[in-house]
Amino acid sequence: MTTTSAKSTGYLDLFAFGLDTDALRSISVLDDIWRDAVHQALPERDDDPVLKEFIEVSSGLVLFLADPDWQKYWLASWHKQASRGFRLTELMTFFYRAVEICEHRILGADRLVARLNVDLFSLLRRSVLAAVSATVELDEEARLAESGIPGELAALQYLHQALKQGQPVSLLSVSLINRNAFAHLSAGELQTLPALFAERLAHRLRPQDLVFSGREGEWLLVFPGVSSMVQPSLAGAHIQQSFAEPIRLISGRSVTLDVAMGAAMGPEHGADADTLVQAARLARWDLARTRQGFGWYHRDLHCDWQQHDALAAELKLALHQESLQFYLQPQVDINSGVCFGAEMLLRWQRANGEWVAPPLILELLEENGWRQMFTDSLIRHALRSSAELAAAGVPVRLSLNLTAADMVDTDLPDMIAQRLETWQIPGDRFMIELTESAMMADQIRCLSVMERLSDLGIGLALDDFGTGYSSLSYLVNLPFREIKIDRSFITAMARSPDSLRVVRTIIDLTHDLDMVPLAEGVEDPAQLEQLRSLGCDQVQGYLYARPMPLAEFIQWMQARPA
């Protein structure tokens, strides 16, 4: 997520944190609580006017977060503290302490907390996170500038001057990422990457071309005086060829990168710096659809982006109105035929009646930084659905899917615990499904979150087992109770001896580790009998039922033999 903005409307990208005008207006009621918390967290010292100034400007965060003048003052005040020797961790700890004090004041120790208070506290926490993240990001840009690599603001200033003087200029927006590989690098190795990338990029450019660091693994390459597509296209081909070889780090490790490049020319594709950079980024954004490594901006992209933007706006509204739906697909004990649970599966129908594919919904959530809002909504739905199922006499277990980002959120177990208390529902009424990639971001933190969820009685299942890295260390070291066998193996096992062997191995391994195997995608009686003969315990698939709304699921359950 990029947290800074070069627009005249402010230095912080509050929208990226789901903070719109209404949200910022609503938390103004917390101004007194926030001011008290700031003064408690970091008491003033009369002999330190610089620190006193920092506390004063920080105490205005709730009221003035959207004010560009306050943002400028706040960023300058933060950097004053950093330049006086305050470490980043000290400054962040101060704000986390202030948030903690607010949490105690707003939520208290009562078992029942009004939903309004929970929502207000969530907005306050996101506001603080937005402000702190922006300072960290600008620090990173300053660090890159000190090491000789200018950042996005410098690129915008250069483009602004070039276009103002009527100079043609071309631009490449280059993405160099490999999130899975980066997650395994040390902090020292990560710090060496920008210089290595910049050196390799510059090696493929003309002496007069310029390299700037952009957003989240992005690089902006500027070609002064270029008004034809030939030079940027040629440079793009050379860069792709150059990064086809892995980057070798000083530590000896190698990293292979995914390269995507969007190209645009000024003034044809953008008469000002912001528009030109956006055009190059749109060209790169479109590569996800075309699955190419290089593409030029064309005007239709604006239309595509507008549709994409409209879809995102409608999704945001659906999130706020909680109109996303979660259909239930039964999970059945293979021997008794008893339906013991159901998996919650995301569904969304737009106002025009069109259904949106779940992967696209999730992509939009990640792209806009709304994942936490979605997780909040998902958990509320899960608790509400569980209560309605119990009231209807079908108190089955519900399985819900969480992500890597959820599993490093150390606040998640406390939030779920509080809601379990509020709804008076036991934790063992839920199973959280995780993919293997969810455990790769920060394994120590992830394990801590998983153990705290497990302490609440919530079960943990490893989803899509066999399709990822399938490290056995996950099974041995993490508190899983259930392994879900991916549907691709179930579909293929009738015609592929290898797939059948994989299914048998997973079932035997799961039993050896005192876990329960659950096969997904079971569609016909032959598959069911095959799984039964292999010793599989639980199944899920169209053979029993397709995913259905909660009311239909209750009817389906009530119509089944006791």
Side-chain angles (χ1 to χ4, degrees):
M1 180 186 296
T2 298
T3 60
T4 55
S5 166
K7 296 179 180 176
S8 60
T9 51
Y11 298 84
L12 277 58
D13 188 356
L14 300 175
F15 185 73
F17 289 84
L19 296 168
D20 56 18
T21 305
D22 290 341
L24 293 169
R25 188 182 299 123
S26 65
I27 60 168
S28 63
V29 299
L30 302 178
D31 180 50
D32 289 342
I33 293 176
W34 172 252
R35 286 180 185 276
D36 288 345
V38 167
H39 287 277
Q40 281 185 52
L42 191 57
E44 296 173 18
R45 292 206 309 259
D46 290 337
D47 60 345
D48 191 342
V50 179
L51 180 62
K52 190 173 182 178
E53 177 195 38
F54 178 60
I55 292 171
E56 192 55 39
V57 67
S58 299
S59 66
L61 185 148
V62 164
L63 279 189
F64 303 114
L65 183 61
D67 182 344
D69 290 336
W70 179 88
Q71 293 175 6
K72 185 177 180 181
Y73 189 24
W74 145 263
L75 292 169
S77 184
W78 174 292
H79 292 303
K80 272 187 194 175
Q81 300 306 316
S83 65
R84 297 171 70 218
F86 277 86
R87 290 175 303 181
L88 177 63
T89 52
E90 290 178 306
L91 293 169
M92 293 179 73
T93 300
F94 156 56
F95 283 97
Y96 290 147
R97 196 182 306 137
V99 169
E100 191 178 356
I101 292 169
C102 289
E103 181 180 17
H104 182 72
R105 291 276 305 274
I106 298 167
L107 303 182
D110 292 339
R111 287 174 54 193
L112 297 177
V113 178
R115 179 176 164 181
L116 175 63
N117 287 14
V118 174
D119 290 343
L120 283 173
F121 175 68
S122 174
L123 288 174
L124 172 66
R125 188 168 54 183
R126 265 187 273 152
S127 300
V128 176
L129 185 61
V132 172
S133 298
T135 60
V136 173
E137 190 166 305
L138 288 174
D139 272 344
E140 175 66 11
E141 180 159 331
R143 192 182 64 76
L144 288 171
E146 285 174 3
S147 65
I149 307 173
E152 180 177 343
L153 290 176
L156 289 170
Q157 288 166 359
Y158 180 87
L159 291 169
H160 174 73
Q161 287 300 321
L163 292 167
K164 186 178 177 183
Q165 294 168 5
Q167 179 187 358
V169 61
S170 292
L171 176 70
L172 286 185
S173 166
V174 182
S175 167
L176 299 171
I177 57 170
N178 183 338
R179 295 189 193 284
N180 287 339
F182 290 173
H184 292 280
L185 298 181
S186 68
E189 288 171 326
L190 287 172
Q191 284 187 341
T192 65
L193 289 180
L196 290 171
F197 292 174
E199 182 183 2
R200 189 172 288 201
L201 286 168
H203 184 64
R204 294 294 180 172
L205 303 180
R206 304 173 306 168
Q208 64 269 38
D209 298 333
L210 302 166
V211 178
F212 300 89
S213 64
R215 303 176 176 183
E216 298 180 333
E218 178 198 37
W219 295 84
L220 297 170
L221 310 186
V222 176
F223 302 85
V226 172
S227 58
S228 93
M229 291 183 171
V230 176
Q231 178 59 32
S233 299
L234 190 61
H238 285 157
I239 289 168
Q240 281 182 315
Q241 186 180 19
S242 174
F243 281 92
E245 296 293 325
I247 291 270
R248 182 169 292 279
L249 308 180
I250 296 173
S251 62
R253 289 196 197 189
S254 294
V255 178
T256 303
L257 298 166
D258 297 323
V259 184
M261 288 174 281
M265 282 192 299
E268 289 87 346
H269 299 151
D272 61 73
D274 281 324
T275 307
L276 184 59
V277 170
Q278 186 190 21
R281 285 177 174 155
L282 280 176
R284 180 164 60 82
W285 164 76
D286 191 51
L287 298 176
R289 178 185 62 81
T290 63
R291 299 189 181 280
Q292 301 293 315
F294 182 94
W296 276 92
Y297 169 81
H298 54 86
R299 299 202 182 279
D300 289 345
L301 287 179
H302 263 302
C303 184
D304 295 343
W305 177 255
Q306 284 171 356
Q307 292 176 359
H308 186 81
D309 210 31
L311 185 65
E314 197 174 333
L315 175 60
K316 185 181 179 186
L317 186 64
L319 267 175
H320 281 299
Q321 295 178 340
E322 301 218 340
S323 57
L324 295 178
Q325 300 177 62
F326 294 91
Y327 279 24
L328 302 182
Q329 185 172 38
Q331 297 174 326
V332 178
D333 183 280
I334 202 168
N335 293 315
S336 67
V338 171
C339 174
F340 62 88
E343 181 178 3
M344 297 176 64
L345 296 166
L346 175 62
R347 297 290 185 269
W348 177 38
Q349 187 174 27
R350 300 183 67 183
N352 63 7
E354 172 188 328
W355 288 93
V356 182
L360 178 56
I361 304 171
L362 297 175
E363 180 186 315
L364 287 167
L365 292 171
E366 296 292 348
E367 187 178 291
N368 291 283
W370 299 335
R371 184 72 210 192
Q372 190 176 12
M373 291 167 61
F374 172 74
T375 300
D376 283 351
S377 175
L378 168 63
I379 291 169
R380 281 197 297 272
H381 268 93
L383 287 157
R384 191 160 55 238
S385 297
S386 183
E388 290 183 32
L389 287 167
V394 283
V396 298
R397 185 191 78 184
L398 291 179
S399 296
L400 50 155
N401 294 273
L402 297 186
T403 67
D406 296 318
M407 297 316 293
V408 294
D409 179 0
T410 53
D411 291 337
L412 181 71
D414 290 337
M415 187 264 280
I416 292 179
Q418 186 181 57
R419 291 183 177 168
L420 288 172
E421 280 279 337
T422 302
W423 284 85
Q424 290 291 291
I425 297 175
D428 62 7
R429 201 69 64 75
F430 301 96
M431 174 72 75
I432 290 179
E433 298 186 5
L434 304 165
T435 60
E436 291 169 66
S437 62
M439 270 78 69
M440 297 189 66
D442 184 337
Q443 292 184 31
I444 295 175
R445 209 160 153 193
C446 180
L447 175 60
S448 169
V449 171
M450 291 173 73
E451 287 176 340
R452 289 166 62 198
L453 291 171
S454 188
D455 289 344
L456 295 173
I458 296 171
L460 297 166
L462 183 56
D463 200 7
D464 300 336
F465 186 73
T467 58
Y469 291 86
S470 301
S471 170
L472 293 180
S473 65
Y474 294 144
L475 300 183
V476 174
N477 298 322
L478 299 178
F480 288 114
R481 295 183 193 171
E482 183 177 284
I483 303 296
K484 297 192 76 172
I485 308 170
D486 187 69
R487 67 179 63 244
S488 60
F489 295 117
I490 306 304
T491 303
M493 69 179 181
R495 62 176 186 278
S496 165
D498 287 341
S499 293
L500 178 61
R501 199 173 298 121
V502 169
V503 174
R504 179 187 293 117
T505 301
I506 294 174
I507 292 171
D508 291 344
L509 178 65
T510 306
H511 284 148
D512 286 345
L513 294 171
D514 292 328
M515 300 179 198
V516 177
L518 188 155
E520 293 182 290
V522 179
E523 297 185 354
D524 60 56
Q527 289 174 336
L528 182 68
E529 288 310 311
Q530 182 75 76
L531 288 164
R532 194 196 307 274
S533 69
L534 294 174
C536 188
D537 297 292
Q538 301 171 349
V539 292
Q540 172 183 342
Y542 288 179
L543 176 63
Y544 289 96
R546 290 173 179 267
M548 61 190 101
L550 177 66
E552 285 183 29
F553 178 80
I554 291 173
Q555 291 176 2
W556 182 85
M557 284 291 292
Q558 291 173 338
R560 288 175 66 81

